[in-house]
Amino acid sequence: MSEKITADYLESFLGNRRLMDQLTFILEAEKLKTILRRTLLLDRSRVETDAEHTWQLALMALVLSEYSDEPVDLQKVLKMLLIHDIVEIDAGDTFAYDSVARVSQVERELKAADRIFALLPLDQAKEFRALWDEFELKQTSEARFANAMDRMQPLLHNFFTNGGTWDSNGVTATDVHRRMEPIGKASAALGALSDKLIALAVEQGILAPAKVAEAVGQKAP
């Protein structure tokens, strides 16, 4: 919001505090267009933004919801996906395979959630925050399916860009299998597809196979 246009001025201009708070939130969410992720576009011209990622997840959910193993409220799934990364306005995008950055991820994102959702009118703030928390916990069918979409999208991009962020970050098949676990928990069909893509990526040499130590660890009781 411009420094010349204060909240008091906007409220006076609109004559509606609720609408002012809603517009403030919408304008704040626009910043997702500036948050860069690591995932390459399929034409490899650049990396995607959080806003582009969010749009594609919503589209994927619309198209693929029939593969959920459990009945899902698609509207609720779409709500979760539209707001799931909004905390990255403050917290930034945390690369999935960056073990150092992930240590502080929860703390950073909780702090961001407290600030950003509070911009909304109280009833919407509570609803959106509850949806965000539900997504993070992965304990409902909607949250599990939404998380499956969130994991599957970068998998598709990495596969169809000849390894994408895998090769440049020393990621192995073991890392990717671990990261993709939520897919199989929501959909057996999409989980099987995920496994096939990972195996094919290894076969094609665009994803490093499991290291010896990792393979041994997987077989251990």
Side-chain angles (χ1 to χ4, degrees), residues 1-18:
M1 187 182 297
S2 168
E3 293 180 0
K4 294 181 180 179
I5 303 178
T6 65
D8 288 340
Y9 174 84
L10 188 57
E11 182 178 0
S12 174
F13 175 76
L14 294 172
N16 185 326
R17 177 56 187 260
R18 180 179 178 83

mmCIF file of all heavy atoms in Angstrom, residues 1-18:
data_model
loop_
_atom_site.group_PDB
_atom_site.id
_atom_site.type_symbol
_atom_site.label_atom_id
_atom_site.label_comp_id
_atom_site.label_asym_id
_atom_site.label_seq_id
_atom_site.Cartn_x
_atom_site.Cartn_y
_atom_site.Cartn_z
ATOM 1 N N MET A 1 0.849 -1.194 0.000
ATOM 2 C CA MET A 1 0.000 0.000 0.000
ATOM 3 C C MET A 1 0.887 1.247 0.000
ATOM 4 O O MET A 1 1.857 1.324 0.724
ATOM 5 C CB MET A 1 -0.903 0.000 1.234
ATOM 6 C CG MET A 1 -1.936 1.121 1.238
ATOM 7 S SD MET A 1 -2.935 1.098 2.749
ATOM 8 C CE MET A 1 -3.729 -0.497 2.592
ATOM 9 N N SER A 2 0.558 2.219 -0.844
ATOM 10 C CA SER A 2 1.332 3.439 -0.926
ATOM 11 C C SER A 2 1.373 4.145 0.416
ATOM 12 O O SER A 2 0.400 4.143 1.171
ATOM 13 C CB SER A 2 0.719 4.379 -1.974
ATOM 14 O OG SER A 2 1.283 5.668 -1.891
ATOM 15 N N GLU A 3 2.521 4.752 0.734
ATOM 16 C CA GLU A 3 2.653 5.469 1.996
ATOM 17 C C GLU A 3 1.671 6.636 2.058
ATOM 18 O O GLU A 3 1.271 7.068 3.137
ATOM 19 C CB GLU A 3 4.086 5.970 2.155
ATOM 20 C CG GLU A 3 5.103 4.838 2.333
ATOM 21 C CD GLU A 3 6.503 5.372 2.476
ATOM 22 O OE1 GLU A 3 6.670 6.603 2.430
ATOM 23 O OE2 GLU A 3 7.439 4.577 2.636
ATOM 24 N N LYS A 4 1.285 7.154 0.883
ATOM 25 C CA LYS A 4 0.370 8.290 0.840
ATOM 26 C C LYS A 4 -1.075 7.852 1.092
ATOM 27 O O LYS A 4 -1.925 8.663 1.423
ATOM 28 C CB LYS A 4 0.474 8.994 -0.518
ATOM 29 C CG LYS A 4 1.833 9.648 -0.764
ATOM 30 C CD LYS A 4 1.853 10.351 -2.110
ATOM 31 C CE LYS A 4 3.203 11.009 -2.369
ATOM 32 N NZ LYS A 4 3.242 11.689 -3.687
ATOM 33 N N ILE A 5 -1.354 6.570 0.898
ATOM 34 C CA ILE A 5 -2.702 6.061 1.114
ATOM 35 C C ILE A 5 -2.694 5.242 2.392
ATOM 36 O O ILE A 5 -2.330 4.078 2.417
ATOM 37 C CB ILE A 5 -3.169 5.194 -0.075
ATOM 38 C CG1 ILE A 5 -3.111 6.002 -1.372
ATOM 39 C CG2 ILE A 5 -4.578 4.675 0.159
ATOM 40 C CD1 ILE A 5 -3.497 5.219 -2.600
ATOM 41 N N THR A 6 -3.067 5.853 3.489
ATOM 42 C CA THR A 6 -3.055 5.184 4.786
ATOM 43 C C THR A 6 -4.279 4.304 4.942
ATOM 44 O O THR A 6 -5.272 4.426 4.215
ATOM 45 C CB THR A 6 -3.030 6.217 5.922
ATOM 46 O OG1 THR A 6 -4.253 6.950 5.893
ATOM 47 C CG2 THR A 6 -1.847 7.162 5.781
ATOM 48 N N ALA A 7 -4.219 3.404 5.913
ATOM 49 C CA ALA A 7 -5.351 2.523 6.188
ATOM 50 C C ALA A 7 -6.580 3.340 6.571
ATOM 51 O O ALA A 7 -7.707 3.044 6.158
ATOM 52 C CB ALA A 7 -4.985 1.540 7.295
ATOM 53 N N ASP A 8 -6.384 4.394 7.379
ATOM 54 C CA ASP A 8 -7.508 5.238 7.795
ATOM 55 C C ASP A 8 -8.153 5.917 6.589
ATOM 56 O O ASP A 8 -9.380 6.013 6.492
ATOM 57 C CB ASP A 8 -7.037 6.300 8.795
ATOM 58 C CG ASP A 8 -6.704 5.692 10.153
ATOM 59 O OD1 ASP A 8 -7.179 4.571 10.417
ATOM 60 O OD2 ASP A 8 -5.973 6.338 10.925
ATOM 61 N N TYR A 9 -7.307 6.372 5.659
ATOM 62 C CA TYR A 9 -7.832 7.037 4.460
ATOM 63 C C TYR A 9 -8.630 6.054 3.619
ATOM 64 O O TYR A 9 -9.730 6.359 3.142
ATOM 65 C CB TYR A 9 -6.687 7.614 3.628
ATOM 66 C CG TYR A 9 -7.140 8.197 2.304
ATOM 67 C CD1 TYR A 9 -7.635 9.494 2.211
ATOM 68 C CD2 TYR A 9 -7.094 7.424 1.135
ATOM 69 C CE1 TYR A 9 -8.066 10.020 1.002
ATOM 70 C CE2 TYR A 9 -7.528 7.938 -0.075
ATOM 71 C CZ TYR A 9 -8.007 9.239 -0.140
ATOM 72 O OH TYR A 9 -8.441 9.744 -1.335
ATOM 73 N N LEU A 10 -8.082 4.858 3.453
ATOM 74 C CA LEU A 10 -8.758 3.849 2.640
ATOM 75 C C LEU A 10 -10.095 3.453 3.258
ATOM 76 O O LEU A 10 -11.105 3.304 2.570
ATOM 77 C CB LEU A 10 -7.867 2.609 2.488
ATOM 78 C CG LEU A 10 -8.347 1.521 1.514
ATOM 79 C CD1 LEU A 10 -8.552 2.095 0.123
ATOM 80 C CD2 LEU A 10 -7.333 0.378 1.463
ATOM 81 N N GLU A 11 -10.101 3.305 4.585
ATOM 82 C CA GLU A 11 -11.346 2.951 5.267
ATOM 83 C C GLU A 11 -12.383 4.054 5.085
ATOM 84 O O GLU A 11 -13.566 3.792 4.839
ATOM 85 C CB GLU A 11 -11.093 2.719 6.750
ATOM 86 C CG GLU A 11 -12.337 2.299 7.509
ATOM 87 C CD GLU A 11 -12.055 2.028 8.979
ATOM 88 O OE1 GLU A 11 -10.893 2.157 9.420
ATOM 89 O OE2 GLU A 11 -13.021 1.690 9.687
ATOM 90 N N SER A 12 -11.929 5.294 5.186
ATOM 91 C CA SER A 12 -12.836 6.426 5.023
ATOM 92 C C SER A 12 -13.361 6.493 3.588
ATOM 93 O O SER A 12 -14.541 6.742 3.348
ATOM 94 C CB SER A 12 -12.105 7.725 5.371
ATOM 95 O OG SER A 12 -12.908 8.845 5.081
ATOM 96 N N PHE A 13 -12.485 6.229 2.632
ATOM 97 C CA PHE A 13 -12.853 6.268 1.216
ATOM 98 C C PHE A 13 -13.860 5.174 0.874
ATOM 99 O O PHE A 13 -14.849 5.406 0.177
ATOM 100 C CB PHE A 13 -11.596 6.109 0.367
ATOM 101 C CG PHE A 13 -11.851 6.013 -1.113
ATOM 102 C CD1 PHE A 13 -12.165 7.136 -1.859
ATOM 103 C CD2 PHE A 13 -11.787 4.785 -1.767
ATOM 104 C CE1 PHE A 13 -12.404 7.047 -3.215
ATOM 105 C CE2 PHE A 13 -12.024 4.689 -3.123
ATOM 106 C CZ PHE A 13 -12.333 5.824 -3.853
ATOM 107 N N LEU A 14 -13.625 3.984 1.395
ATOM 108 C CA LEU A 14 -14.510 2.855 1.105
ATOM 109 C C LEU A 14 -15.790 2.887 1.932
ATOM 110 O O LEU A 14 -16.823 2.390 1.509
ATOM 111 C CB LEU A 14 -13.775 1.532 1.360
ATOM 112 C CG LEU A 14 -12.599 1.217 0.443
ATOM 113 C CD1 LEU A 14 -11.869 -0.022 0.939
ATOM 114 C CD2 LEU A 14 -13.090 0.993 -0.986
ATOM 115 N N GLY A 15 -15.671 3.435 3.152
ATOM 116 C CA GLY A 15 -16.819 3.435 4.049
ATOM 117 C C GLY A 15 -17.170 2.042 4.532
ATOM 118 O O GLY A 15 -18.308 1.770 4.916
ATOM 119 N N ASN A 16 -16.193 1.149 4.504
ATOM 120 C CA ASN A 16 -16.466 -0.246 4.837
ATOM 121 C C ASN A 16 -15.169 -0.879 5.337
ATOM 122 O O ASN A 16 -14.290 -1.220 4.546
ATOM 123 C CB ASN A 16 -16.973 -0.980 3.597
ATOM 124 C CG ASN A 16 -17.407 -2.405 3.879
ATOM 125 O OD1 ASN A 16 -16.843 -3.089 4.723
ATOM 126 N ND2 ASN A 16 -18.414 -2.865 3.140
ATOM 127 N N ARG A 17 -15.040 -1.049 6.659
ATOM 128 C CA ARG A 17 -13.806 -1.582 7.228
ATOM 129 C C ARG A 17 -13.557 -3.027 6.787
ATOM 130 O O ARG A 17 -12.417 -3.415 6.515
ATOM 131 C CB ARG A 17 -13.860 -1.513 8.765
ATOM 132 C CG ARG A 17 -12.645 -2.109 9.473
ATOM 133 C CD ARG A 17 -11.351 -1.447 8.994
ATOM 134 N NE ARG A 17 -10.178 -2.087 9.527
ATOM 135 C CZ ARG A 17 -9.482 -1.622 10.568
ATOM 136 N NH1 ARG A 17 -9.853 -0.520 11.191
ATOM 137 N NH2 ARG A 17 -8.407 -2.265 10.986
ATOM 138 N N ARG A 18 -14.605 -3.817 6.694
ATOM 139 C CA ARG A 18 -14.435 -5.217 6.291
ATOM 140 C C ARG A 18 -13.849 -5.303 4.873
ATOM 141 O O ARG A 18 -12.897 -6.049 4.631
ATOM 142 C CB ARG A 18 -15.780 -5.944 6.347
ATOM 143 C CG ARG A 18 -15.695 -7.415 5.945
ATOM 144 C CD ARG A 18 -17.055 -8.107 6.045
ATOM 145 N NE ARG A 18 -16.968 -9.500 5.620
ATOM 146 C CZ ARG A 18 -16.562 -10.497 6.410
ATOM 147 N NH1 ARG A 18 -16.222 -10.255 7.670
ATOM 148 N NH2 ARG A 18 -16.513 -11.727 5.944
#
